[in-house]
Amino acid sequence: MGRRAGLLFLLFIFSLSTFATGELRNTGSRSGALGGASVALSDGWSAANNPAGMVWQSGFLAGLDLKNQFLVKELCNKLFLMVVPAGKSRFGLVVQHYGYSLWYEMNVGITYAMKLGKKFSAGIRIDYYRIAIAEGYGSKNAFSFRVGLQYQPGEKFTIGCLVANPYPVKLTQDFPDYLATTFQSGIVWKLSKQLLSSIEIEKDLIHDPVLKAGIEYHLAKPLFTRIGFSTSPARFSFGFGVEMKKLKFDLSTSYHPVLGYSPQVSLIYHCKP
């Protein structure tokens, strides 16, 4: 293997004794530009971020999302999702791949969401994980789930929460490595027709809480601009989006002061009834 790939591989093996695997990764460049805040958003990426948000979107949709972590091709995250309406409910499929040939994580999720009255929605996602490591380390398969809620007390506010991998699922016998149990809670505030803010807190069982926040401004009919930040470690993000009749294109990047940029691009096809 190449020198760079070998170093990445050794760092990954070392990290197994320290960090949980299967952590949440924000999906969609809209969320990426807003500091990763996603739990209270209701958009085409809700099937991956918080399934409860799916029910506020009408019609069929499908999307692709690509993120290149720190401009290292071996740390590329690829995701495809699809949402199908069924009356007041929604069914979704999420397929995600992270890593490269020497080690990777694959996640397939089946999601379901429904409205609980006019203001509440709930969603669940059943996840299958496959973590594979080359050089004779083998692979591991695991199942888990995540549950999300959203509450819209009015047109200007949405409150969301999510619990992912709520029970411990051990991945290896030789290392204390588990699927990451993660809690998210946040709020979206529509300050005006053009301006939206999103803020949330994320916490797992190991690391310090992470604050994520961002602002979206609707410049003109098809164009959106966004900025955001997150903590632990401190990162800044920005991006823009173009919304056409059936297509939504978003581009963003986050910046780590030591490791550099992580660009992200996403595309949604939305067929409204």
Side-chain angles (χ1 to χ4, degrees):
M1 71 184 80
R3 185 177 179 182
R4 189 183 191 190
L7 177 60
L8 287 169
F9 176 68
L10 291 174
L11 287 173
F12 176 74
I13 296 299
F14 175 76
S15 71
L16 287 176
S17 62
T18 309
F19 301 104
T21 306
E23 69 273 11
L24 296 181
R25 298 184 178 94
N26 72 278
T27 299
S29 295
R30 184 191 186 197
S31 168
L34 296 174
S38 63
V39 73
L41 292 175
S42 303
D43 58 17
W45 303 105
S46 292
N49 294 323
N50 183 356
M54 292 194 303
V55 297
W56 309 110
Q57 300 292 306
S58 60
F60 167 85
L61 62 88
L64 290 171
D65 182 54
L66 298 173
K67 183 174 183 179
N68 189 200
Q69 194 82 356
F70 309 126
L71 293 174
V72 177
K73 65 179 182 179
E74 291 85 0
L75 301 181
C76 186
N77 185 68
K78 295 160 280 193
L79 182 141
F80 166 80
L81 63 73
M82 180 174 61
V83 175
V84 179
K88 294 183 179 181
S89 302
R90 300 289 184 273
F91 290 91
L93 171 68
V94 180
V95 181
Q96 186 174 24
H97 183 278
Y98 178 75
Y100 70 121
S101 59
L102 292 181
W103 64 268
Y104 69 85
E105 298 177 24
M106 186 182 73
N107 171 221
V108 178
I110 304 296
T111 65
Y112 172 76
M114 65 180 296
K115 288 184 179 180
L116 304 176
K118 295 182 178 181
K119 298 182 179 182
F120 282 96
S121 66
I124 185 170
R125 174 171 153 186
I126 307 299
D127 286 304
Y128 162 73
Y129 292 95
R130 178 176 176 82
I131 295 92
I133 308 174
E135 304 294 321
Y137 284 90
S139 61
K140 176 68 176 180
N141 302 310
F143 288 91
S144 189
F145 68 96
R146 60 191 74 182
V147 179
L149 296 171
Q150 283 193 353
Y151 171 56
Q152 295 187 354
E155 295 182 357
K156 292 186 177 182
F157 294 96
T158 301
I159 301 169
C161 61
L162 180 80
V163 181
N165 309 317
Y167 68 96
V169 177
K170 193 170 185 178
L171 297 173
T172 61
Q173 298 299 323
D174 299 326
F175 297 99
D177 187 40
Y178 294 86
L179 290 177
T181 298
T182 309
F183 308 89
Q184 289 175 283
S185 181
I187 184 170
V188 165
W189 180 15
K190 296 179 181 178
L191 299 123
S192 68
K193 290 183 178 181
Q194 289 79 31
L195 192 61
L196 174 149
S197 66
S198 181
I199 185 169
E200 73 177 58
I201 294 177
E202 177 183 313
K203 180 72 175 73
D204 62 26
L205 301 181
I206 300 175
H207 304 97
D208 293 333
V210 178
L211 174 65
K212 306 175 182 181
I215 295 176
E216 176 183 85
Y217 183 67
H218 193 175
L219 280 173
K221 188 174 183 180
L223 185 62
F224 296 81
T225 60
R226 305 171 182 117
I227 58 171
F229 73 93
S230 61
T231 63
S232 300
R235 299 188 192 189
F236 297 93
S237 57
F238 59 91
F240 71 90
V242 178
E243 183 174 339
M244 293 169 277
K245 203 166 188 180
K246 292 186 178 181
L247 292 175
K248 296 179 181 179
F249 172 80
D250 295 293
L251 182 66
S252 69
T253 187
S254 61
Y255 176 73
H256 188 287
V258 176
L259 300 175
Y261 291 94
S262 297
Q264 186 172 2
V265 60
S266 57
L267 180 68
I268 280 278
Y269 170 77
H270 192 180
C271 184
K272 299 180 181 180

